[in-house]
Amino acid sequence: MRVALIANRASGTGTDAEDIAARLRAGGAEVTPFDLGDVASATRVDPERLVVAGGDGSVGIVAELASRTGAPMAVVPTGTANDFARELDLPSDLDGACALAARPDARTVTLQLARAGERPFVNAAACGLSVVAARRAKPLKPKLGALAYALGALRAGLTGRPIAVRVEDASGRTVFDGRAWQAIVGATGAFGGGSGIEEADPRDRLLDLVVVTARSRIALVRRAFGLRTGRIARQPGVVHARSTELRVLAPPGTRWNVDGEIGELNPSLFANRGEDYAVVVP
């Protein structure tokens, strides 16, 4: 089986692409390695499978390639949070992940790719406290791993401020207009090292919106519990909507956390265009 290994060497505490390639070859795969920055070149080897070694941001980039080429994607999770792998119950250890990725007869599931503007994402995009939490967590990740996100979220809840948000769905209907602690657009709905939106389903061609409205700071403790248990959409003070397209209007310069990567989105238009990709699963 021809495998294109696409590795983000900067993920987590460092991704050893050579070691992963050797493990895949030991499993019988014919491996050609590529750096994440050269992902487009992977098509040159006409791969029968794409293997991504990295974090959630890397998974989104390779999922787009899988959608375009039709080659199934296998994930070797070497990031910090690895929310995508956790959501799909993929092996978290290197031996298990590489063994599954090298199996030519492995089962696959078909999911839909989400877009933040033209940027692909697989889990979630969020503005507000999620961005503050990610910034607070960043210096803690080398020592604490995924636990850094929980501490980052705690610090964000103590210091963050609400933002003005207006959200329109695919029909142009306004589904929220007011101040919010955060707005989250979910595909799998997983983010933040174990938080998530239970209602989100990356197979239903819909995006799930959750807006945590700007009530008291004390109430954020309950919202945080809802996120950790996946039940945030059912809580009071939370707006939940579903659509194939969501336009989130926020103040200029608003930063977004998209699958763990922080940056501005202009325009902040989220869409499910029906782009399918296959993922190797146990």
Side-chain angles (χ1 to χ4, degrees), residues 83-97:
D83 287 307
F84 184 83
R86 183 183 291 108
E87 184 70 14
L88 270 66
D89 293 323
L90 303 179
S92 59
D93 63 292
L94 203 56
D95 286 337

Side-chain angles (χ1 to χ4, degrees), residues 126-129 131-132 135 161-166 180-183 248-258 262-268 270:
C127 63
L129 291 186
V131 174
V132 180
R135 286 174 174 166
R161 296 178 179 275
I163 61 173
V165 176
R166 179 181 174 186
W181 287 112
Q182 62 180 342
V248 184
L249 306 174
T254 295
R255 309 281 281 179
W256 286 84
N257 181 345
V258 183
I262 307 299
E264 291 186 31
L265 293 176
N266 188 19
S268 51
F270 303 89

Side-chain angles (χ1 to χ4, degrees), residues 18 33 40 42 54 61 95 104 112 124 139 151 165 179-180 184 189 193 201 203 207 222 231 243 271 275:
E18 290 73 22
I61 293 171
D95 286 337
Q112 281 100 46
L151 293 178
V165 176
R179 291 176 63 76
I184 308 163
D201 183 349
R203 291 162 291 195
L207 298 173
R222 187 174 180 182
R231 299 173 182 172
S243 181
E275 298 170 281

Side-chain angles (χ1 to χ4, degrees), residues 10-14 55-57 78-83 133-152 155 192-193 257 259-262:
S11 285
T13 55
D56 293 313
T78 61
T80 304
N82 300 316
D83 287 307
R135 286 174 174 166
R136 298 286 190 180
K138 187 174 182 179
L140 304 175
K141 289 195 293 184
K143 290 185 177 180
L144 300 181
L147 179 60
Y149 291 97
L151 293 178
R155 292 183 177 183
N257 181 345
D259 282 351
E261 305 291 333
I262 307 299

Side-chain angles (χ1 to χ4, degrees), residues 129 153-154 157 181-182 195-196 210 212-213 215-238:
L129 291 186
L154 175 62
W181 287 112
Q182 62 180 342
S195 295
V210 164
V212 180
T213 61
R215 296 190 177 185
S216 72
R217 197 178 293 272
I218 293 175
L220 283 174
V221 175
R222 187 174 180 182
R223 303 295 89 80
F225 180 74
L227 285 169
R228 298 303 290 186
T229 59
R231 299 173 182 172
I232 183 66
R234 308 174 199 173
Q235 291 192 347
V238 173

